[in-house]
């Protein structure tokens, strides 16, 4: 499904974000990308969605080398790659339904398909009853569910998630992870960049660890393990970083409604 | 891509930046109004000059000879190779022309003795370069009383309309460029206002044309509205003002078909300005992203 072959990414000719990365990901796998800030996780995600072009190497996604993909074909790549971000990226003046429908409308899907698919996927993410709410009327966890619904409504082959729980408290994060796990079980390949030790340790999926742009560990059913808690604590990965506190698996019956202090934009890792 | 979607998005863009949009439309309007008026004035000049001279640039007045002598002179002039045609205007015709010319001054017509009207030979040249030579040659013929060069007045008229025309076009083009810049700015503002939406559109795989078309349509609408206003203003401005001017020998009438055909050209200019403006605006944006 995805194959990286000697991929490097150098910014401004000197800042090396990814060094000679090589890895293969099968269809239906669930991958955690772990590592401290600046280790290249986000860059890798951006390379996989062709937000960036690699300086060197080949990136094969669904049988195409996207390093060589002409710009005008990028939209078609994006239709088979769903993306979820830490800051949700919802449109504030559109309802939940409209936000999800937007993803289908702008790729020219007929109205009939929109009204059929959107409720289905909203039900999947557990927001069927909140379709007419605006994003600001939702908790952070709910907003992230909307953004997952939007990424998934087009049934992508791959779902890329860059710190999807980065702005959420641990209990809410668990709910999001269960949702991503469900999506993964439909056969969608999930690649998730994260800092969250608890989640990685609880899920025991394949872990690819990055350190200064290098892949230093690629382990099936791995744990977070990487940086010591001390390192993680000095991380400048945005204000909403939630340190692991061993609450994994304790998903509350009712998802707590939080104030969802979202700070989009300033949580961007280099 | 549904047309209603594109037009709806474009309309939203237009509403969101009313002042800027009005500025852009105004810029298109002023520029195209200048151009349209320049075209009309040019036509008025050309028309009147053409009608007055009907190709004739020299009049040779003849002395009171007989018809045979006059015919002889006319035939001779007709045989010169510089001469396209030499037209004999007898005393009777000259009298009719005089009466028509001073129809609004019956007292004058009363005063004048029809017999005093001179006959003339009116000359159209094949090539106006030979003008001076032909005038001299006509003056040397026996029986020619005097030579009048009709061209002076005609040239003046043509010159004036040429100046107006050139000035109008130059101004129109300069203003047209500013109109294009204005349109590209409104498009850029609209893109900026929707940058969030656009980034999500690109995220979920909207094609580039899907993203761009509403902005293209926005620019087109601005150009076309400005152009349509220019044509309307130009048309009524002409009908109410220029066509009612009394400029003596200059005939200020131009046919509706002319106004219409040039109006359509002006409208097309508006559409082009709109398209170019929005492409310029989009180009900048496309370079910034990806």
């Amino acid at each position: 499904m995805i194959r990286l072959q000697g991929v490097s990414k150098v910014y401004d000719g000197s800042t090396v974000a990814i060094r000679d990365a090589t890895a293969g990901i099968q269809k239906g796998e669930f991958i955690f990308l772990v590592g401290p800030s600046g280790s290249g996780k986000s860059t890798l995600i951006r390379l996989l969605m062709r937000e960036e072009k690699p300086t060197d190497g080949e990136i094969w996604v669904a049988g195409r080398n996207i390093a060589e993909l002409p710009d005008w074909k990028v939209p078609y790549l994006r239709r088979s790659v769903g993306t979820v971000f830490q800051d949700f990226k919802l449109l504030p003046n559109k309802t939940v339904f409209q936000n999800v429908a937007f993803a289908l409308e702008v790729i020219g899907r007929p109205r009939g398909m929109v009204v059929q698919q959107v409720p289905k996927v909203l039900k999947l993410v557990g927001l069927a009853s909140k379709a007419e709410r605006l994003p600001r009327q939702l908790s952070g966890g709910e907003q992230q569910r909307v953004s997952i619904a939007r990424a998934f409504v087009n049934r992508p082959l791959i779902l890329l998630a860059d710190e999807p729980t980065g702005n959420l408290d641990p209990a809410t994060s668990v709910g999001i992870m269960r949702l991503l796990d469900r999506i993964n079980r439909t056969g969608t390949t999930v690649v998730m960049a994260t800092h969250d030790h608890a989640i990685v340790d609880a899920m025991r999926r394949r872990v690819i660890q990055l350190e200064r742009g290098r892949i230093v560990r690629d382990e099936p059913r791995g744990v977070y393990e990487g940086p010591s808690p001390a390192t993680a604590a000095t991380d400048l990965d945005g204000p909403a970083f939630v340190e692991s506190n061993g609450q994994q698996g304790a998903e509350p019956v009712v998802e707590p409604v939080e104030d969802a202090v979202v700070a989009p934009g300033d949580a961007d890792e280099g | 891509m549904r047309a209603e979607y594109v037009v709806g998005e474009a309309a939203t863009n237009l509403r969101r930046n009313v002042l800027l949009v009005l500025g852009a439309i105004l810029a298109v309007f002023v520029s195209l109004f200048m151009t349209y008026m320049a075209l009309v004035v040019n036509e008025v000049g050309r028309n009147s000059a053409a009608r007055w001279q009907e190709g004739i640039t020299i009049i040779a007045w003849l002395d009171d000879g007989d018809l045979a002598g006059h015919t002889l002179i006319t035939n001779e002039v007709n045989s010169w190779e510089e001469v396209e045609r030499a037209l004999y205007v007898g005393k009777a015709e000259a009298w009719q022309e005089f009466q028509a010319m001073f129809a609004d001054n019956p007292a004058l017509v009363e005063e004048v003795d029809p017999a005093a009207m001179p006959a003339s030979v009116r000359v159209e040249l094949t090539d106006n370069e030979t003008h001076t030579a032909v005038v001299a040659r006509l003056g040397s013929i026996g029986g020619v009383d005097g030579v009048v060069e009709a061209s002076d007045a005609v040239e003046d008229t043509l010159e004036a309309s040429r100046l107006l025309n050139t000035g109008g076009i130059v101004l129109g083009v300069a203003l047209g460029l500013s109109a294009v810049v204005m349109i590209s700015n409104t498009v850029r503002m609209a893109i900026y206002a929707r940058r969030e939406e656009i980034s999500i559109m690109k995220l979920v795989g909207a094609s580039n044309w899907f993203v761009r078309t509403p902005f293209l349509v926005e620019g087109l609408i601005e150009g076309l509205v400005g152009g349509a206003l220019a044509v309307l203003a130009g048309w009524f401005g002409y009908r109410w003002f220029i066509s009612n001017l009394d400029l003596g020998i200059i005939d200020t009438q131009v046919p509706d078909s002319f106004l219409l055909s040039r109006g359509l050209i002006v409208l097309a200019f508006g559409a082009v300005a709109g398209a170019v403006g929005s492409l310029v605006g989009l180009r900048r944006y496309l370079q910034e992203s990806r």
Side-chain angles (χ1 to χ4, degrees), chain A residues 49 71 74-75 78-79 83 85 89 91 102 105-107 150, chain B residues 2 5 196-197 200-208 210 290:
Chain A
M49 58 183 285
D71 279 352
V74 170
R78 300 269 171 89
R79 291 177 194 188
T83 41
F85 295 93
K89 296 196 194 298
L91 293 170
F102 189 69
E105 285 162 355
V106 301
I107 59 172
R150 183 181 62 197
Chain B
R2 291 191 301 270
Y5 166 81
E196 255 189 325
E197 246 170 291
I200 290 166
M201 283 168 133
K202 305 195 107 186
L203 209 59
V204 299
S207 68
N208 288 338
F210 188 91
R290 197 152 68 221

Side-chain angles (χ1 to χ4, degrees), chain A residues 17-107:
Chain A
I18 299 285
R19 283 168 211 266
D20 194 24
T22 297
I25 295 170
Q26 300 302 311
K27 182 170 172 20
E29 274 197 277
F30 195 118
I31 311 284
F32 284 117
L33 285 178
V34 303
S37 291
S39 61
K41 302 190 300 292
S42 286
T43 299
L44 201 52
I45 296 279
R46 280 206 290 273
L47 287 170
L48 287 173
M49 58 183 285
R50 241 308 280 277
E51 185 78 22
E52 309 266 6
K53 273 181 174 180
T55 315
D56 215 350
E58 295 172 4
I59 301 175
W60 292 83
V61 173
R64 281 170 299 193
N65 180 7
I66 63 169
E68 307 275 310
L69 198 67
D71 279 352
W72 69 269
K73 277 189 179 170
V74 170
Y76 304 96
L77 167 75
R78 300 269 171 89
R79 291 177 194 188
S80 52
V81 180
T83 41
V84 175
F85 295 93
Q86 184 173 2
D87 59 2
F88 319 139
K89 296 196 194 298
L90 299 178
L91 293 170
N93 54 351
K94 286 189 192 292
T95 65
V96 168
F97 184 96
Q98 287 167 340
N99 263 287
V100 177
F102 189 69
L104 291 176
E105 285 162 355
V106 301
I107 59 172

Side-chain angles (χ1 to χ4, degrees), chain A residues 158-171:
Chain A
I158 300 166
L159 187 73
L160 302 175
D162 193 0
E163 304 272 359
T165 60
N167 276 338
L168 305 174
D169 65 43

Side-chain angles (χ1 to χ4, degrees), chain A residues 90-261:
Chain A
L90 299 178
L91 293 170
N93 54 351
K94 286 189 192 292
T95 65
V96 168
F97 184 96
Q98 287 167 340
N99 263 287
V100 177
F102 189 69
L104 291 176
E105 285 162 355
V106 301
I107 59 172
R109 294 285 179 266
R111 187 72 198 156
M113 182 182 178
V114 174
V115 296
Q116 185 201 353
Q117 286 297 319
V118 175
K120 221 184 251 182
V121 78
L122 284 180
K123 198 175 161 207
L124 174 81
V125 302
L127 287 173
S129 62
K130 297 186 172 174
E132 297 311 315
R133 301 274 182 94
L134 290 171
R136 67 166 177 275
Q137 298 168 315
L138 301 178
S139 72
E142 287 168 335
Q143 290 186 51
Q144 191 59 293
R145 286 166 184 272
V146 178
S147 99
I148 292 170
R150 183 181 62 197
F152 188 62
V153 71
N154 196 34
R155 310 288 154 165
L157 297 167
I158 300 166
L159 187 73
L160 302 175
D162 193 0
E163 304 272 359
T165 60
N167 276 338
L168 305 174
D169 65 43
T172 310
S173 299
V174 170
I176 293 296
M177 291 317 297
R178 291 180 71 142
L179 179 55
L180 289 178
D181 187 45
R182 263 182 89 179
I183 284 173
N184 177 234
R185 283 171 203 278
T186 67
T188 304
T189 309
V190 177
V191 178
M192 169 171 163
T194 186
H195 270 109
D196 199 320
H197 299 228
I199 284 170
V200 177
D201 293 349
M203 301 254 309
R204 298 303 296 255
R205 298 303 180 92
R206 180 173 166 192
V207 171
I208 294 177
Q209 185 180 348
L210 288 164
E211 203 83 63
R212 289 191 204 157
R214 282 187 199 285
I215 295 179
V216 296
R217 180 165 61 105
D218 185 347
E219 184 185 7
R221 302 190 62 76
V223 291
Y224 194 93
E225 202 174 74
S228 67
T231 319
T234 58
D235 239 339
L236 296 174
D237 198 43
F241 177 74
V242 179
E243 184 58 76
S244 154
N245 59 6
Q247 262 196 20
Q248 72 271 24
E251 190 190 16
V253 183
V254 179
E255 197 173 293
V257 177
E258 66 211 68
D259 289 326
V261 183

Side-chain angles (χ1 to χ4, degrees), chain B residues 15 34 39 104 115 118 122 129 137 249 253 286:
Chain B
R15 265 200 305 275
M34 293 296 300
L39 290 172
D104 53 354
R122 307 196 172 178
E129 296 282 298
R137 203 166 159 192
I249 59 162
Q253 300 306 313
L286 287 173

